[in-house]
Amino acid sequence: MKKVLLWGFAALSLLCISCKKEDPASDNSDFVTITSVVPDVILEIRYFGTYNFVGTRIDGYQVPTALLSRQAADSLKAVNDEVKAQGFRLKIYDAYRPQCAVDHFVRWAADIPDVAMKPYFYPDLDKSVLFDQEYIMAKSGHTRGSTVDLTLFDMNTEKELDMGGTFDWFGPESHPDFCGNPDTFEYTGDNSKSPAGRSITPEQFANRMILRKAMLNHGFKPLDSEWWHFTLKEEPYPETYFTFPVRQLP
């Protein structure tokens, strides 16, 4: 009888283990491929290729696509509808970013001698300050699934709208308040924060503000250090840092 009971408890234990829920951080069931919601969005997934501040494909990017939580993707469609009426399309550089990609950034930043991409993305900075100045951190809002890096594509000129600086430029020139007031959308020309005396034109600042206004209009909040970075205010997973790779979803 004891053997029967022991076998019964063992079987029940195995059943309980098999019924345990999947690790929430690996669950992509509430995510969508952005192009399934916004079909005419343009993708240039920088971390799938080699033109990025690391100079290699980043871990976790299995295909050159962009994923977001369903809520963020639906809000992004509303943004796209607004800018499309103005003659633009959204162009996405990055969206959901798995934790292994962030870990890749951290390893790269700790490898001080590797400065192959310095002339293109951080010419005014010594690589040793990237952690202290929080250009690289161990956690990223992108990993929570409702943050997107993007710009505007001008349908008339068939080129990206001139924002006066490249995506992932490490420096104050990327700040939304560089040469202007992002709260009033007014150009001031104040370039005093630029260590190299760089500047942007009134038109370039105005272009940044077109993107900012549209994102704010549809529930996204900006970041004070990157004109291209926006997070859904009511993000569904504010405490979860997901681990599944970037791949095409069903």
Side-chain angles (χ1 to χ4, degrees), residues 40-176:
D40 55 358
V41 74
I42 299 169
L43 301 182
E44 186 182 326
I45 308 304
R46 291 284 185 89
Y47 301 140
F48 180 79
T50 60
Y51 181 57
N52 57 60
F53 60 85
V54 176
T56 61
R57 181 182 296 181
I58 304 304
D59 292 352
Y61 286 80
Q62 295 182 355
V63 296
T65 194
L67 312 178
L68 278 178
S69 68
R70 294 177 188 274
Q71 295 90 328
D74 287 343
S75 294
L76 196 66
K77 183 182 186 306
V79 175
N80 186 71
D81 291 345
E82 178 175 327
V83 300
K84 194 172 180 180
Q86 301 173 58
F88 306 116
R89 288 170 66 182
L90 298 180
K91 182 174 185 178
I92 295 177
Y93 297 122
D94 193 36
Y96 162 69
R97 182 184 306 164
Q99 183 59 45
C100 66
V102 179
D103 296 341
H104 191 165
F105 293 163
V106 170
R107 292 194 306 273
W108 167 81
D111 183 8
I112 302 300
D114 181 0
V115 292
M117 302 303 285
K118 177 180 172 66
Y120 310 103
F121 295 100
Y122 54 104
D124 303 331
L125 293 176
D126 188 285
K127 190 177 177 182
S128 63
V129 307
L130 296 185
F131 285 118
D132 290 342
Q133 297 190 17
E134 297 187 345
Y135 288 106
I136 302 295
M137 294 186 287
K139 295 290 184 181
S140 168
H142 281 273
T143 310
R144 301 193 300 264
S146 296
T147 293
V148 60
D149 292 336
L150 74 174
T151 189
L152 294 173
F153 185 88
D154 189 329
M155 296 299 292
N156 292 319
T157 64
E158 298 185 352
K159 296 178 180 178
E160 283 186 23
L161 205 58
D162 184 359
M163 300 295 192
T166 186
F167 163 66
D168 265 353
W169 177 274
F170 295 170
E173 297 87 354
S174 293
H175 297 184

Side-chain angles (χ1 to χ4, degrees), residues 1-12:
M1 184 65 179
K2 288 183 178 179
K3 288 184 178 180
V4 173
L5 288 173
L6 288 172
W7 277 109
F9 282 125
L12 183 60

Side-chain angles (χ1 to χ4, degrees), residues 11 22 52 78 110 114 134-135 210 213 227 241 244 246:
E22 183 183 12
N52 57 60
D114 181 0
E134 297 187 345
Y135 288 106
I210 294 172
K213 288 177 185 177
W227 58 259
Y241 293 84
F244 61 86
V246 174

